[in-house]
Amino acid sequence: MRTHFKIPRGMLDEIRADLSRPHSFAYERVGFVTCKVGKFDGEGWIILAANYHPVEDEDYVKDESVGAMIGSAAIRKMMQRAYDEPYSVVHVHMHEHSGRPSPSATDAREMAKLIPNFWNVRRNFPHAAVILSFDSMSGTVWDPSSKSRFAIDDFTVVGAPMQFIRTEHG
Amino acid sequence: MDKHNRQSFLGPNSEATLRSSRAVIIGLGGGGSHIGQQLAHVGVGNIFLIDPDTIDREGTNLNRLIGGTEKDVEDETLKVEIAKRLIQSIDSRIQVHTFDTPWQENLQVLRGGDVVFGCIDGLMQRRDIESATRRYMIPYIDIGMDVHKVDSHYSVSGQASLSMHGQPCMKCMGIIRDDQLAHEAALYGAAGERPQVVWSNGVLASAAVGLFMQLVTPWASHPKPVTLLEFDGNRQTLTESRKLKYLGQMSCDHYAYPIELGDPFLK
Ligand SMILES: [Zn+2]
């Protein structure tokens, strides 16, 4: 399966700026991107970032064990958005370094709990979690037909200039 | 010495970036054949060629079809095959994929491209390609040329443009006008064979490849997300359109985002 995530440069800049803002008690911020999707021949998804939705300050909850714990209100708002309009939901957060980020054990565990919830409102769509760094990104997609998760292969930052982040397949 | 050594100013990873990039060319006639040749020289690794036509039997394409030979005229070779042969004779490592059916039957090919080049006549088709590429956030680089009779002389003009997601479109730029679309529709979509000449095609194709290189390699400091270069074939000049000044400040209302993104039938 091949998955390609595309995001306009302006939106990506806005997300990085938003996620860099300190929060009164959460160690890090997170956000969501609602996306339109298309299919590749055979298997695979093209996920196209449409709108960014920061998680509001009051929607974080105190939890010492993880950096950013968001409450059910934040998740409910996103589920409503994907219910109202056919959207794929992509969770975003940022690791404060350059180069390709990789998920921590906590990231992997929390996302495996969170992301499949969006199938309750949009069951034929892929949903995903993307980790940004200062200059790169990586991600995981939950595929609706196999109900499995896969690494996102390709990322394109759409703007002038373009940025292509590709996973090489031998 | 590395073949691409003289391109090293393009940036440290530009060779690898170009090698992994995927360019789609729609229309392998006078303009598209030039573009294919140049993309081979700069080292684009994956090139997708779409054109249902063969070189014409009268041989009139030979005055402008780059790579075409007398033997091709005899054999009525497909234009995509001529381009493929030329590209792979320049660099055999390039993966060339050919499609000898109309582009509308190859939407999956378009979707997989990083950049799409359009080198065909007919405003309706160019509008449709633009719409299909914007839907998938793919930059669309279009070239067009025209010859008009003015009194007893001929005026040769054309343009190369870049249309991108969220930026002014070809209607905003004035390349596609409703009255011309209506005129074409009245002729059942037949745009007619437009006169072309190899040297003007070469200028416009080079401009198109230049726009592509600015998008995918970091050598230019501030590439523009919307570009319109106007060609005056009589004066032999290529100038940035004065329209760009106000185009930079306006937002396109011909395409509604984000509704017109992705596959509209997926629910
Ligand atoms: Zn427009």
Side-chain angles (χ1 to χ4, degrees):
Chain A
M1 206 187 75
R2 177 179 162 208
T3 307
H4 195 152
F5 179 70
K6 298 188 179 189
I7 183 165
R9 180 169 294 283
M11 189 189 300
L12 182 60
D13 292 345
E14 179 200 334
I15 295 174
R16 284 204 175 102
D18 179 66
L19 296 179
S20 304
R21 291 181 303 126
H23 185 272
S24 57
F25 58 81
Y27 299 130
E28 59 173 6
R29 283 183 183 271
V30 302
F32 290 97
V33 182
T34 43
C35 304
K36 291 287 178 180
V37 296
K39 274 186 155 169
F40 281 121
D41 247 348
E43 286 193 317
W45 297 101
I46 307 168
I47 303 177
L48 304 147
N51 294 296
Y52 176 57
H53 307 279
V55 169
E56 286 158 51
D57 281 3
E58 59 273 24
D59 288 342
Y60 288 84
V61 293
K62 276 195 175 163
D63 186 328
E64 299 298 319
S65 65
V66 290
M69 188 69 184
I70 50 171
S72 54
I75 298 163
R76 238 187 354 259
K77 282 176 194 170
M78 288 317 300
M79 287 175 70
Q80 187 65 44
R81 289 193 173 100
Y83 179 79
D84 291 342
E85 168 85 20
Y87 278 128
S88 175
V89 178
V90 175
H91 176 279
V92 284
H93 78 289
M94 187 152 80
H95 289 182
E96 308 265 318
H97 61 75
S98 300
R100 202 83 192 264
S102 49
S104 66
T106 311
D107 289 338
R109 192 183 61 235
E110 294 302 314
M111 290 306 114
K113 275 196 282 183
L114 171 68
I115 305 295
N117 285 311
F118 297 112
W119 280 330
N120 294 334
V121 286
R122 209 41 82 178
R123 65 188 164 91
N124 296 325
F125 274 35
H127 302 288
V130 166
I131 305 172
L132 306 176
S133 70
F134 294 144
D135 59 1
S136 188
M137 63 187 97
S138 67
T140 307
V141 62
W142 274 255
D143 172 50
S145 40
S146 62
K147 298 274 183 258
S148 324
R149 58 178 155 171
F150 299 90
I152 298 175
D153 306 272
D154 295 325
F155 295 84
T156 302
V157 181
V158 183
M162 309 280 286
Q163 185 188 3
F164 303 103
I165 303 159
R166 305 183 209 264
T167 309
E168 294 304 326
H169 295 289
Chain B
M1 183 168 108
D2 185 316
K3 182 178 96 166
H4 298 288
N5 201 300
R6 290 188 186 202
Q7 303 193 156
S8 60
F9 75 93
L10 294 176
N13 299 317
S14 60
E15 201 185 325
T17 302
L18 289 163
R19 192 53 67 188
S20 65
S21 65
R22 297 183 284 250
V24 180
I25 308 175
I26 302 175
L28 275 300
S33 59
H34 262 295
I35 290 176
Q37 182 185 41
Q38 294 195 26
L39 294 185
H41 282 295
V42 296
V44 170
N46 307 277
I47 305 180
F48 300 79
L49 307 172
I50 307 176
D51 195 325
D53 290 345
T54 58
I55 191 165
D56 71 335
R57 220 179 323 180
E58 294 77 40
T60 57
N61 288 160
L62 280 185
N63 65 9
R64 61 180 183 276
L65 194 85
I66 304 305
T69 64
E70 290 178 340
K71 177 83 168 46
D72 289 325
V73 174
E74 241 171 73
D75 297 346
E76 293 182 58
T77 313
L78 282 163
K79 288 178 179 172
V80 289
E81 291 302 329
I82 294 171
K84 178 180 180 173
R85 185 182 66 208
L86 177 66
I87 290 166
Q88 292 194 321
S89 70
I90 294 165
D91 188 337
S92 58
R93 291 175 300 170
I94 296 175
Q95 302 285 324
V96 183
H97 308 265
T98 58
F99 304 87
D100 59 1
T101 46
W103 69 269
Q104 293 92 334
E105 294 171 29
N106 295 291
L107 291 175
Q108 287 287 347
V109 178
L110 255 65
R111 277 181 208 176
D114 294 326
V115 174
V116 171
F117 291 91
C119 316
I120 58 172
D121 293 332
L123 291 174
M124 289 202 293
Q125 286 205 69
R126 288 154 74 192
R127 174 201 59 193
D128 293 347
I129 295 171
E130 182 183 41
S131 157
T133 50
R134 286 170 87 96
R135 201 168 258 295
Y136 286 91
M137 294 188 186
I138 299 165
Y140 175 53
I141 299 174
D142 179 276
I143 58 174
M145 198 190 106
D146 226 338
V147 179
H148 295 284
K149 190 156 192 202
V150 182
D151 303 325
S152 59
H153 293 78
Y154 287 92
S155 148
V156 177
S157 63
Q159 76 289 317
S161 59
L162 165 66
S163 163
M164 279 182 88
H165 165 82
Q167 299 290 336
C169 72
M170 288 169 69
K171 277 192 176 175
C172 296
M173 293 184 221
I175 300 169
I176 296 176
R177 297 204 324 253
D178 286 333
D179 59 324
Q180 293 169 316
L181 286 173
H183 178 70
E184 212 178 279
L187 301 169
Y188 301 101
E193 282 272 291
R194 302 211 171 238
Q196 293 193 1
V197 287
V198 67
W199 69 90
S200 299
N201 279 335
V203 173
L204 292 168
S206 296
V209 173
L211 294 178
F212 168 81
M213 294 298 284
Q214 289 192 340
L215 270 188
V216 303
T217 61
W219 68 277
S221 56
H222 298 290
K224 294 197 173 99
V226 52
T227 315
L228 175 57
L229 296 169
E230 290 168 340
F231 175 60
D232 180 333
N234 298 58
R235 291 208 181 106
Q236 303 272 22
T237 56
L238 189 68
T239 334
E240 194 173 74
S241 171
R242 273 183 281 175
K243 287 178 201 154
L244 279 175
K245 253 198 188 133
Y246 66 81
L247 281 178
Q249 286 137 30
M250 73 182 276
S251 63
C252 169
D253 56 6
H254 302 104
Y255 291 90
Y257 287 112
I259 306 304
E260 292 177 36
L261 276 177
D263 183 340
F265 302 109
L266 279 176
K267 292 279 184 265

